[in-house]
Amino acid sequence: MRFRVKKLNWVHLLILGIVFSGIINFVHTDKVAAKKVSTETISVVLKPHNQSELTKFIYSTSNPNSKNYHKYISSSQFADRYGARTKTIKLVKAYFKKYHLKTKVNRGNLVISVTGTRRQLENAFHVWFTKSSWNGSSYRKVVGTPRISKKLSREVMAVSGLSKYYAVNARHTQLQPTSYETRAQSDQSSDGHTPSKFINRYGIRSLYAGGNSGRSKTIGIISFANYHYADAYHFWNKMGIKAKANRLSVNRTKGTSGNWANAEETTMDVEQAGAIAPDANIRSYISQPDVTGMITSVTNALAENRADVLSISWGQSEVKLAQEIKLGITPKRFNQVMNLLFEQAAAQGITVTTASGDNGAYDGILEGNRQGLAVDSPASSPYVVAVGGTTLPNSYLVNHKKVVVQAERAWGTDFLYPNYSHQQYYSQSEKLANYFTGGGGGFSKINGTPKYQQGVSGVNTFSAIKMWSFANNKVTRIGDQRLAGKSHGRNLPDVSANADPATGYSMYVSGSKDGSDGSWYVVGGTSLVAPQMAASLVLTGDEVGGRLGFINPTLYRVAQKANSPFKVLDSAKNNNNLYYTGQPGKLYNQATGLGTVNFGRLADVIKSNY
C-alpha cells in the first residue's frame, strides 16, 4: 500500500488541502553491501483469542449502564485477555529462529516483528521475491503463497512487508494546482487564520474556563515523516501559546531518520494539536510510509499506552486498497488487522481520530480511481472517529460576480466550478485536483454498518447531486442531477469541522532538512482537522475525568438527545461534498456526518450520563 496524506504537497503547500496522491513508500531497496547483508523487518499479525468478547467489552466501556463504563485495561492486560496465547507466541518465535530470523513480540501479543535478510525471509515463508511494476511504479512481488508450518499458519491473521514498493520519487503523481498556492500574509493573530478560530467556534473556550488544558495528557500523532521541533515552538510562540520546553517526543522505528518527504504533514499535525491542547504532551510515532509502517506505528503507540488519543492523517482509498490487495502488494486482511488494532486502542481507552479525505465523495481520484464514489481507509474503520470537513462563511469572486457562503456548510468547491472552466490545465491530474476538492464521506464497501449507527435517522439513506460521470474509465462533467436513495456499509464521516484552506489555518514550516527557510502558509484539509479533533477530545476527557476511549457509540447516542452538542448541517441546498448533501430533518448525512461539535456541551452531556 502506498500511503498518502490527506492534505498538502510539500513543494506547493496548496490552500485547497488536496489529498496527497503520490507514491510515498520509502523502503529499503534490498541492496547488498560489500561486507554486510542488509536486513529488513516485516510484521506477522496473529489472531486474537476471544475477539467476539473483545468487541463486547469495548462497547460496554461506552455504555453508562455497564460496570465497564470508562474502565479500560493496559496493554499487558489486553495481551492476557485477548492477545495470542503464550504457547502460540513461543512456537512462532521458535519457528523463525530456525531460519536465523530475529523476533520481537509487541506488547499486546498481536504483532510480532520479524527481522532478517531477504534470503532468510524467502526461506522461512517458502516464497521468493521478484521485481514487478504496476501503474508506473516498481514493487517487490511475492511468488508463491507465504506459509509457515501448517499448525502455526492457522494462528496467523496476516503477514505484512513481504511485498512492497521500491523507493521512488516522492513527488511522483503529486500534481496539484499551483493556482491555489498561497502564503499567509501575517503570522499574527489579526490575520484570522489562528487556532482561535477553531477554539471559539467549537466550544473549546468553556473547557479552558474549567481549567482543562491537557496537562499531564498525551496526544499521539501517527505519521511517516520527520519534523523540526523548532517549527512547532515558533508557531506556538507567535500564536501566544506558552508551551513547555519538553512537551515534544518521537518514537521512531529504525531507518526512518532520513524520512523528510511530506514533513509538513507531521509539522501541521503537531502544531494544531498542541495549539488546541496547550499543556498536552505531543508524541509522534514515525515509521516507514507503507502498510508495515502503519501497523508498526499504531502497534508501538498501543504498546506504550502513553497517548490518550491518536490522530491519523494518512490513508488510502478503498478502491486503491482493493487493487493493491489483488496485486498482492497489500495483505488480504489488512482491513481486519487495522480494525483489530483499533479495537485494542478502544480497550485501552485510546480514542483514534482519522482524516476522511479531501476529494469529496470520490476518494482516491488523484490516485487513479475511475470507479467513482469511494471512501478512505482507515477512516472507514468502525472503531475510529472519521473526521470530515466544512467551510466557513466567506465571499468569493466567481465569473466576476460576488458569491457569498453565508453559513457553515459541507466542504465542497462546486460553487467555484465556473472559475475552473476558464483555466488552462497542463495535465489531467492538475484539472482533477482543482475540481475534486471537498470533505470525504460516503459508504464503506469493506466495513458493515456498525451497531452504533444503526437506527439513526439519515444513516444508510442519502440525498445527492450527481455532477460527474465515470463511464468508460473517463471522468466527465455532467449536469447536476438530484438523487435520493438507500445504501449500506459503515457511513462516514462521523463529525466535521472547518477544513477548507480558503477559510483555513496558519502553519509555520521549514523548507529544508536543516531547519532553515521557514515560512508561513495558510493550510487546510481533513488531515488538519483530525489532530484538532484529537486535542479537543483530550480536553473533553479532562473535563469528564479521564480517557474517552471508544467514543463513537456515545457520539451517536447523545446526537439523538434534546440537549445534543451537535449542530446538524442538514440542508440539501448549497451543502454538499461534491455528491452527498444534507438530508433535511435527519440527524446524519454523508457530507458532514452528525455535524459540528460543541465540545464544552459534549463534556456536559457525557458527565450527566445523558
Side-chain angles (χ1 to χ4, degrees), residues 403-416:
V403 173
V404 178
V405 175
Q406 296 181 339
E408 187 168 11
R409 53 154 283 179
W411 178 30
T413 56
D414 57 301
F415 62 91
L416 296 176

Side-chain angles (χ1 to χ4, degrees), residues 85-103:
R85 299 185 185 280
T86 302
K87 181 180 178 181
T88 299
I89 297 286
K90 290 180 178 179
L91 290 173
V92 171
K93 291 177 65 178
Y95 175 83
F96 287 119
K97 187 176 181 180
K98 290 192 303 182
Y99 293 91
H100 309 289
L101 291 160
K102 296 180 180 180
T103 56

Side-chain angles (χ1 to χ4, degrees), residues 170-297:
R171 292 187 61 229
H172 181 65
T173 72
Q174 289 184 2
L175 303 178
Q176 301 173 347
T178 57
S179 56
Y180 290 99
E181 178 180 349
T182 191
R183 181 173 298 223
Q185 299 301 308
S186 170
D187 59 359
Q188 306 301 316
S189 59
S190 60
D191 69 3
H193 301 298
T194 70
S196 294
K197 180 159 46 180
F198 182 96
I199 291 165
N200 293 331
R201 177 168 286 271
Y202 301 118
I204 303 299
R205 288 286 179 202
S206 62
L207 293 174
Y208 290 164
N212 305 297
S213 59
R215 188 176 293 107
S216 77
K217 298 295 190 296
T218 298
I219 300 168
I221 304 294
I222 301 296
S223 197
F224 302 93
N226 297 308
Y227 74 102
H228 295 289
Y229 285 17
D231 287 352
Y233 280 106
H234 183 73
F235 174 84
W236 294 324
N237 180 57
K238 288 294 184 179
M239 295 298 153
I241 298 167
K242 296 180 180 180
K244 60 183 179 181
N246 61 344
R247 73 183 307 203
L248 299 178
S249 63
V250 173
N251 177 303
R252 188 195 316 279
T253 60
K254 184 179 179 181
T256 58
S257 60
N259 286 14
W260 287 97
N262 306 320
E264 78 289 348
E265 173 59 48
T266 312
T267 304
M268 183 177 69
D269 288 1
V270 170
E271 289 177 355
Q272 291 298 319
I276 304 302
D279 287 328
N281 297 315
I282 313 292
R283 184 161 177 80
S284 301
Y285 296 86
I286 298 175
S287 189
Q288 298 289 1
D290 55 20
V291 167
T292 307
M294 176 66 85
I295 293 172
T296 299
S297 286

Side-chain angles (χ1 to χ4, degrees), residues 108-128:
N109 283 7
L110 291 179
V111 180
I112 298 181
S113 299
V114 180
T115 301
T117 66
R118 167 179 171 156
R119 181 63 62 192
Q120 289 168 340
L121 291 171
E122 286 178 320
N123 291 338
F125 288 96
H126 306 289
V127 296
W128 69 91

